[in-house]
Amino acid sequence: MNKTIKQMADFMGINKLRIYRFIDKSDIESSKVINGAKTYDKSAQKLIYKHFGYIDNYYNKDNDNKSDNIKEKDELIKFIKDEIEEKNNQIDNLQKMLDQQQQLSLQDKNTISEQKQKLKSMQLMIDTTYDNKNDNSKNHWWKFWI
């Protein structure tokens, strides 16, 4: 990746003028000019960093960033896998609870049907008993004395 003198100076924490002087002294050519700023390719950056004693830091930082990125991605993948597993467990639990609710509903429905049947039979018994009493009530009370 091409970098400007300002980016390299900021990275190394030195003055841009020192880098300009070294580039002029060493006759290092820029690779591109973007918006009026000269950019330097990897080989030019390597020379500059080496001169100012940052060559090891530069490459170690890149490697550290790559390994940090890999670690972060691995942690993110592990986190997502754990989340998916937790969600699957929640779905399983909800499915079990739904099944239980359906079974209870069915039991309630059966119980209600049984209770209705009992009420109907009791009503029939009451009606029959009432009809029998009504039949007996046709006999007036005074007839029992005769």
Side-chain angles (χ1 to χ4, degrees):
M1 178 173 123
N2 292 343
K3 289 189 178 183
T4 63
I5 292 174
K6 181 177 181 347
Q7 291 171 332
M8 289 185 282
D10 289 343
F11 173 76
M12 291 186 285
I14 61 173
N15 193 340
K16 293 188 296 184
L17 189 56
R18 288 183 66 194
I19 297 175
Y20 279 119
R21 286 182 189 149
F22 175 72
I23 289 172
D24 284 341
K25 184 176 165 185
S26 303
D27 291 327
I28 298 174
E29 296 289 325
S30 65
S31 59
K32 290 183 184 177
V33 177
I34 300 174
N35 295 332
K38 293 180 180 179
T39 59
Y40 297 89
D41 60 3
K42 288 273 186 185
S43 61
Q45 290 176 39
K46 189 174 180 181
L47 287 172
I48 294 168
Y49 287 133
K50 187 174 184 179
H51 174 74
F52 291 102
Y54 282 89
I55 193 73
D56 294 333
N57 292 341
Y58 176 72
Y59 286 105
N60 286 340
K61 186 173 181 179
D62 281 348
N63 290 336
D64 289 344
N65 285 341
K66 288 177 185 176
S67 64
D68 287 344
N69 286 342
I70 291 172
K71 288 177 185 176
E72 287 176 9
K73 287 178 183 178
D74 287 344
E75 288 175 6
L76 183 62
I77 290 171
K78 184 177 183 240
F79 174 76
I80 290 172
K81 283 181 180 179
D82 291 342
E83 285 293 313
I84 290 172
E85 185 176 333
E86 183 179 335
K87 296 300 176 193
N88 284 340
N89 288 338
Q90 288 176 351
I91 290 170
D92 290 343
N93 288 337
L94 288 173
Q95 187 66 37
K96 286 177 185 176
M97 290 187 337
L98 181 63
D99 289 344
Q100 289 175 349
Q101 179 62 37
Q102 288 174 343
Q103 289 174 356
L104 288 173
S105 250
L106 184 62
Q107 272 183 333
D108 287 347
K109 189 175 180 181
N110 289 339
T111 304
I112 289 171
S113 295
E114 289 173 4
Q115 293 298 325
K116 280 183 180 179
Q117 285 298 99
K118 284 182 181 179
L119 281 173
K120 282 183 181 179
S121 66
M122 288 176 70
Q123 185 65 35
L124 253 172
M125 284 178 32
I126 291 172
D127 287 346
T128 307
T129 306
Y130 181 72
D131 285 344
N132 286 342
K133 282 186 178 181
N134 281 341
D135 288 343
N136 289 340
S137 67
K138 289 181 184 177
N139 297 333
H140 296 288
W141 64 273
W142 62 82
K143 289 186 180 178
F144 292 116
W145 296 106
I146 303 180

